Amino acid sequence: MPALILKIDKEDLEESIDTAANIIKNGGTVVFPTETVYGLGANAYNADACLKIFKAKNRPADNPLIVTVSNFDMVKDVAYIDDDRLKIMKKVWPGPLTLLLKKKKIIPDIVTSGMDTVCVRFPDNKIALSLIEKSGVPIAAPSANLATKPSIVDSKDATEDLMDRVDAIIDAGRVKYGVESTILDATKKPYELLRPGAFSVEDLKNLFGEIKINEAAEGYKESKIALTPGMKYRHYAPSKELFLIEDENEFRKFISSEESKSFTALCSSENAKYAKCDKIILGSDIYEIAHNLFYAFRKLDKDKNKYGVIQSFPENSIGFGVMNRIRKASYLIVRKNEDAIKTISSYKLGQIKKD
Ligand code: TXA
Ligand code: MG
């Protein structure tokens, strides 16, 4: 059966959320907005319902789900927290910071892929919070995209990808940030940044003092593999091959050269004027760029050019999360000390070997 599309105009809002909450209570799946990206949710206490999330997304069973809550009592139901951590949570929640905590038994193993920790998220989005409250249970919800694909930031894209895979989709338009929450491991001291995202590292440091940055946070881990193209799988990625040119001058040179003919450039408003190839403008402010990033990846997949090329951005505030997503989505990264035209043409000539 195709998914129910639930409208959220003033007159539909309450009824839509009631319907969605009933679906959650009855073990079904609902796509709903958060302030970061859309989530694909089910009752976090119901293992069979959570299995449906993995199936709908083609998600490997060893990739655990975030548990989304709507109040502090729910946090205590799912995870062990002390007064120290509770104090912090009260400062940052609701908001786009997800905390890794020790899990309680009530969360079935399928949600955490058998681990003894759970990622807890308290989103700053009225629809998400109202859905969880009305469901009466925490909602396990990864990002709503199909595995490896760009995250969903607009309900239209949810309809396109998930219509036959879920029970309902809440049609709430575009989300606020466009990049997922920041994930912080709060099980050990100092706390460790696992994934940069919409909550800035600068704010984390102001709140917690010392923060360890996990080596995967920059996003090179998968992309290092991508330096040898064609290997392994990427995350958040468009279907087309996307090339990241980290040096801004090299990027400008490339997009104004003949070499860029079969490319679409994803760039800032400022760099757009250098493009002789087709372009998708991401914006000028880093929050605007974050907001448009996944949307642009999807647009790239629909245009006529064979390849995409993207620039890098300063890695402060949400920019750290933006660069993590771009690196993970990239097929090949041209590093700062490389000649972009030469590297990319060698790749196209087959001179950079596939493993
Ligand atoms: O903004 C967000 O966080 C969005 C919205 C929908 O809430 N959700 C989201 O979920 O990005 P997802 O599943 O796409 O990313 C969650 C990440 C995954 O990389 C997963 O491996 C990691 O969190 N994760 C979840 N539980 C974990 C755990 N117990 N230990 C380590 N990593 C965990
Ligand atoms: Mg995801």
Side-chain angles (χ1 to χ4, degrees), residues 36 59 63-64 66 100 115 117 121 142-143 180-181 183 195:
T36 56
R59 187 177 179 102
N63 193 358
I66 288 179
L100 185 74
M115 290 188 288
T117 53
R121 167 142 158 73
S143 54
E180 296 85 347
S181 64
I183 302 182
R195 176 179 77 178

Side-chain angles (χ1 to χ4, degrees), residues 2-202:
L4 273 178
I5 304 293
L6 301 169
K7 299 273 173 208
I8 53 138
D9 305 325
K10 253 196 190 134
E11 61 276 19
D12 302 312
L13 183 64
E14 284 308 311
E15 199 187 324
S16 286
I17 295 182
D18 285 340
T19 307
N22 279 327
I23 292 173
I24 296 286
K25 282 183 196 160
N26 291 320
T29 50
V30 174
V31 172
F32 64 96
T34 77
E35 78 278 40
T36 56
V37 301
Y38 273 82
L40 197 175
N43 177 353
Y45 295 152
N46 180 335
D48 292 337
C50 290
L51 179 63
K52 292 181 186 168
I53 297 176
F54 286 89
K55 284 196 175 149
K57 274 181 64 85
N58 292 331
R59 187 177 179 102
D62 63 359
N63 193 358
L65 309 178
I66 288 179
V67 171
T68 317
V69 300
S70 56
N71 60 60
F72 287 97
D73 287 335
M74 254 186 204
V75 180
K76 291 182 191 155
D77 290 341
V78 301
Y80 291 98
I81 43 169
D82 54 18
D83 289 347
D84 248 19
R85 287 173 178 78
L86 190 63
K87 232 189 269 162
I88 297 163
M89 287 171 186
K90 292 203 164 155
K91 283 191 192 160
V92 297
W93 280 347
L97 177 65
T98 296
L99 294 181
L100 185 74
L101 299 163
K102 286 273 173 230
K103 107 176 177 62
K104 289 197 173 161
K105 274 214 181 77
I106 192 163
I107 297 292
D109 279 346
I110 184 173
V111 172
T112 58
S113 305
M115 290 188 288
D116 64 355
T117 53
V118 60
C119 270
V120 183
R121 167 142 158 73
F122 192 154
D124 187 15
N125 176 287
K126 280 192 186 131
I127 295 171
L129 293 176
S130 163
L131 173 64
I132 303 166
E133 281 295 307
K134 287 192 170 176
S135 302
V137 288
I139 295 184
S143 54
N145 53 294
L146 301 177
T148 83
K149 290 291 162 203
S151 299
I152 291 177
V153 296
D154 189 308
S155 42
K156 274 196 225 91
D157 297 325
T159 318
E160 202 173 289
D161 288 9
L162 297 162
M163 201 56 192
D164 297 315
R165 294 173 169 263
V166 297
D167 296 311
I169 295 170
I170 300 181
D171 186 8
R174 280 290 276 277
V175 294
K176 179 176 171 194
Y177 289 107
V179 166
E180 296 85 347
S181 64
T182 298
I183 302 182
L184 190 68
D185 181 350
T187 63
K188 53 185 175 203
K189 292 265 173 81
Y191 291 168
E192 183 174 356
L193 176 76
L194 300 180
R195 176 179 77 178
F199 196 95
S200 80
V201 179
E202 292 81 355

